[in-house]
Every structure is written in structure tokens, then in C-alpha cells.
Amino acid sequence: MGLPLSLVRSLDLTDPATFAAHDPRDIWPEARRHEPVFWHEARDGKPGFWVVTRHADVLAAYQDADRLGSARGTVLDVLLRGDDPAGGKMLAVTDRPRHRQLRQLLLRAFSPRVLGPVTERIAARTLDLVRSVTGRGSFDFATEVADELPMNTICDLLSVPDGDRKELLRWNKMALSSEDPDSGELDALGARNEIVLYFMDLALERRASPGDDVISMIATAEVGGARLTPEEVALNCYSLILGGDESSRMSALVAVYELARHPEQWDALRAGEVALDTAVEEVLRWATPAMHFARTATQELEIAGRRIRAGDIVTLWNTSANDDETVFASPRAFDLARTPNKHLSFGHGPHFCVGAHLGRAGLRSLLSALVATVGRIEPHGEPERVHSTFLFGYRSLRVGFRPR
Ligand code: HEM
């Protein structure tokens, strides 16, 4: 059913408390039906912005990169404060033609030659971790398992020394201030600076003596006839962590939580009645870790009959698009066998997630390790949600894994 439209129109979508108070899926159904594109009024000194809710409109907006640009920023929180300082330098917040050049470079980090060994390591690491917590009674899946997975994968990709990884994870959680409602914007800014400075040092080191790793590759390549500056190298290394760590971690947490809550789905998965790859897509749809992405109109355009002016901020709500009943039958059912499954969890069009293959491989390894090792997944209390207007997921999830 969802919240009444009048209430939805009065919600402050810039406040993480809004998403803590409501299941994000309850916010959108009435808007999709009656006012699929609406204007969120300016408040508390923050500018207003457009809210796009239907699958077809979100998809078309992702595709329309010429009229809906990314260079001013793609996350609402950042855009409301002004332009993203990484604009034009970091892949995700760059527009054509520079975006295409940078993307070609970054895609080399995701070639089969690089990814083959990385995905093998993901599978082995995930199986070890799942085995280590199985039969142990109640444990926190967030800190004992999920924390260890994507960050290590991305650090493998970048050949970040083992000893530095814990610190990077801590900074990254602070940078997105998703763990602690009390951690402030200054802490977040400090953490982001630490990460960029850390990668600038590595970039200079590897430029001086390149190895066979992705940082060396980015640091020594030419883009549009010139090498990237150390800051650009660092920002693009950071963008892999920004794009890949939290989103993959959140989808792993949502997978385990939903399997614990839906024993019939877990049984079907264990019995091999559902293909792992099909199940992975439903976990991604259900989790929708990036609740929205945002754009800025570079010229006047229309979306669903609403006139958008040049300079307006436009937010695209993946959470709503992935629940659109005109695209998904019974969208509120967690159905691992769902096909087709045209979710927008990885976005669409020119900025489609470059790490989608890795994100999928991580989830596939998790489901496969659970099926091989675990008999029953027992919920132990309610999980704690992350505190964010951007990310959906959990910072703590207590469960027990009974051995097969
Ligand atoms: C882009 C989601 C995993 C790196 C995106 C976008 C989405 C997304 C929705 C589009 C952003 C936009 O249009 O503005 C996810 C989800 C993941 C995941 C849900 C896991 C379940 C990863 C991984 C990496 C990664 C593992 C890297 C190792 C990136 C980068 C971009 C991106 C660099 C920018 C691409 C561009 O602008 O051309 N991701 N992602 N992501 N993602 Fe992912």
C-alpha cells in the first residue's frame, strides 16, 4: 500500500532520520501512481530538487547523460552542499567526452585477465569466513564476515598492502558517515582526505617503480594524450572503494537477513531449485544498496510531463524503480527465482556500474559458500540499519549458522 501521498510530499528526503523511520519501500508506491515526478521543496537553506520514481523514467534519465550531467555530483547529500570537488576528475562524477576516456582506462582494471584471479580469491576467502562462523552460535555477520569481503577484494585488485586495509575500511565507513549518526561532516571530510592522500602516496610510488597492478596501470597510462595527475589517480582508486565497498557489503548483509527471514527461499536455494545467478539478481533488486543517484540538468527537458530547468537537481530513486509494479510482478515478494529481473541496482547507460561483475561474483560466492556449509540460518534479533539518505543496509546483523 505505502504511505499516503500527502505524507510522502511532506517527508524530508535530505534527512537520514526519514529513512530510519520508514521502510524505504513504503515511501514510493503512491508517488509512482499519482505524482511520479515531484518537486521536493527547498528547506533549511538546502535547495529543492526533483524526485523521479517510476522505473521507465529512472531508466531513461540514466540513459540521458548529455542532458542530465554527473560532473556536479551524483549523491544528493554532496550536491546540496555545492559542487563535488572530484567533479571532472573521478570517473563517476565526470561527463563526456572525458568520462568515456576515463572509463576506457578503468575498464582495463576489470578485464578478464585481472578479474580471473581476483574472483577465485573472493570465492576462497568467502568460503573460509563462512566456515569459521558456522556452528559458533550467535555472531554479528556485519563485523565478522561482511566487513572482510569487498574491501579485501578491491584491495586485491589495487594491490594495497595487507597491513593498511583495516585503516582504509575504518576511514571509508567514516567518509560516508553511515555507521554512526553522531559522526559529523568534519570527520567525514577528514576521512575522505586521508584516503585520497594515502592513494596519492601509492600512486607516486608505483609511478616511480610500476608493478603489474591496477594502481600502476592507472598511474602510468595516458588519457587524452597526458598522464593523470597524482590526485586524479588517487581519486579514481578511491572511486573503486567508494563504489564497491559499502554497496557490496550491504547487499551481502541483506542477503543473509532475508534468507534467515524466508526459510522457504533458503530451502529452495539449498535444494538447487533456484540457480545461484538468478538468486543473485533478486538479492540485488531487494537490497538496492544505492537508494538513489542524482544528476544536474544541463539544459531544459521534460520528464513525465514535468518541465525541468537547466541547473535543476534531479534525483533518481532506484529503490522505487526496483519496486515498480508495472515492471515486477508482486514486487514486495522476495522471490529468488524471479525472471526476468530488470532491476536498476547497478544503474544504467553510460555510467552503468563498472564493478557489476565483481559485485555479482561477491554475492554468488556468498550464496554458494552458505549452501555448501550451512544447514539453517537463525535470526537473532533485529538488525541495525545504517544511517543514510543514500545507502540501504545494516551495520549490525546477529545471526547463527547451524552446520549442514
Ligand atoms: C557506478 C551500484 C559494486 C565501482 C555504479 C552505479 C550504481 C552502482 C547504481 C551508477 C552510478 C551513476 O549512474 O551515477 C553498485 C552496487 C554494487 C556495486 C549495487 C554491488 C552490489 C561495485 C564494485 C566496484 C564499483 C565492486 C569496484 C570495484 C563503480 C564505479 C562506478 C560505479 C567506479 C562509476 C562508473 C561510471 O561513472 O562510469 N555502481 N556498484 N561498484 N560503480 Fe558500482
Side-chain angles (χ1 to χ4, degrees):
M1 195 29 221
L3 304 178
L5 188 59
S6 54
L7 175 57
V8 175
R9 296 292 272 104
S10 69
L11 291 177
D12 183 355
L13 298 176
T14 69
D15 184 355
T18 301
F19 297 90
H22 303 282
D23 178 332
R25 272 176 289 258
D26 286 341
I27 297 178
W28 309 111
E30 290 300 299
R32 270 196 308 275
R33 216 159 290 142
H34 303 294
E35 210 177 351
V37 177
F38 66 85
W39 178 252
H40 184 287
E41 294 298 335
R43 56 183 94 178
D44 304 331
K46 291 181 266 189
F49 53 90
W50 293 100
V51 176
V52 181
T53 61
R54 279 187 189 160
H55 188 281
D57 296 328
V58 172
L59 184 94
Y62 274 127
Q63 189 69 51
D64 198 353
D66 287 332
R67 294 191 299 172
L68 291 165
S70 294
R72 287 196 52 226
T74 56
V75 174
L76 184 57
D77 209 24
V78 178
L79 267 170
L80 292 177
R81 272 184 269 122
D83 290 2
D84 189 325
K89 298 181 212 152
M90 188 196 261
L91 179 72
V93 285
T94 299
D95 290 331
R96 288 172 190 165
R98 182 74 173 165
H99 173 259
R100 193 170 290 165
Q101 295 170 332
L102 271 179
R103 189 165 166 107
Q104 261 162 9
L105 169 65
L106 265 287
L107 279 174
R108 278 162 54 191
F110 296 92
S111 68
R113 184 184 68 80
V114 178
L115 283 194
V118 174
T119 45
E120 272 169 36
R121 250 171 287 161
I122 301 179
R125 185 179 286 128
T126 310
L127 189 59
D128 278 354
L129 275 167
V130 168
R131 279 193 185 135
S132 74
V133 289
T134 301
R136 226 227 243 163
S138 170
F139 67 95
D140 188 346
F141 183 81
T143 51
E144 306 259 341
V145 182
D147 270 7
E148 298 295 324
L149 291 173
M151 188 55 112
N152 271 314
T153 303
I154 299 160
C155 288
D156 283 349
L157 195 70
L158 296 171
S159 301
V160 168
D162 284 350
D164 300 345
R165 298 180 177 194
K166 276 234 154 0
E167 193 67 356
L168 270 180
L169 179 67
R170 197 176 66 81
W171 283 333
N172 197 41
K173 285 179 171 180
M174 266 165 74
L176 296 172
S177 43
S178 56
E179 290 266 305
D180 179 2
D182 299 326
S183 92
E185 185 45 33
L186 265 184
D187 296 329
L189 210 64
R192 276 195 285 270
N193 282 341
E194 294 284 3
I195 300 177
V196 174
L197 287 175
Y198 173 81
F199 279 117
M200 273 170 76
D201 282 348
L202 273 189
L204 288 171
E205 250 173 53
R206 305 237 172 128
R207 184 168 276 177
S209 69
D212 186 25
D213 63 276
V214 169
I215 301 184
S216 301
M217 190 266 291
I218 301 176
T220 53
E222 292 208 344
V223 177
R227 282 182 165 185
L228 300 183
T229 64
E231 189 203 8
E232 286 172 322
V233 177
L235 284 172
N236 283 293
C237 292
Y238 180 23
S239 89
L240 300 184
I241 291 184
L242 263 180
D245 174 46
E246 297 249 15
S247 51
S248 305
R249 220 148 27 85
M250 294 307 137
S251 54
L253 281 151
V254 170
V256 168
Y257 178 57
E258 294 305 332
L259 288 172
R261 288 205 313 151
H262 295 92
E264 78 298 342
Q265 295 288 318
W266 168 235
D267 288 343
L269 191 69
R270 280 181 60 211
E273 290 161 20
V274 184
L276 286 181
D277 290 339
T278 310
V280 162
E281 297 310 310
E282 179 66 345
V283 167
L284 284 164
R285 181 189 77 89
W286 191 266
T288 318
M291 291 194 287
H292 75 265
F293 269 100
R295 299 290 189 258
T296 304
T298 55
Q299 52 186 276
E300 196 174 291
L301 74 150
E302 251 188 38
I303 306 181
R306 303 299 302 262
R307 186 165 300 276
I308 316 286
R309 288 154 307 173
D312 284 356
I313 296 172
V314 179
T315 55
L316 313 174
W317 288 86
N318 299 326
T319 331
S320 178
N322 281 347
D323 228 19
D324 189 329
E325 39 292 281
T326 65
V327 176
F328 303 96
S330 308
R332 300 298 290 265
F334 178 65
D335 175 11
L336 292 178
R338 182 185 296 279
T339 46
N341 196 336
K342 295 185 183 314
H343 65 75
L344 295 178
S345 295
F346 289 124
H348 183 76
H351 288 275
F352 179 80
C353 178
V354 285
H357 178 81
L358 267 191
R360 289 185 162 121
L363 275 176
R364 194 178 201 287
S365 298
L366 174 63
L367 297 185
S368 154
L370 291 173
V371 166
T373 316
V374 176
R376 257 183 57 205
I377 304 177
E378 296 166 336
H380 287 272
E382 281 303 303
E384 286 172 40
R385 290 256 305 275
V386 294
H387 180 77
S388 177
T389 58
F390 173 65
L391 265 184
F392 178 83
Y394 307 114
R395 58 183 179 161
S396 166
L397 172 67
R398 294 209 75 83
V399 286
F401 287 173
R402 287 265 181 90
R404 286 176 68 107

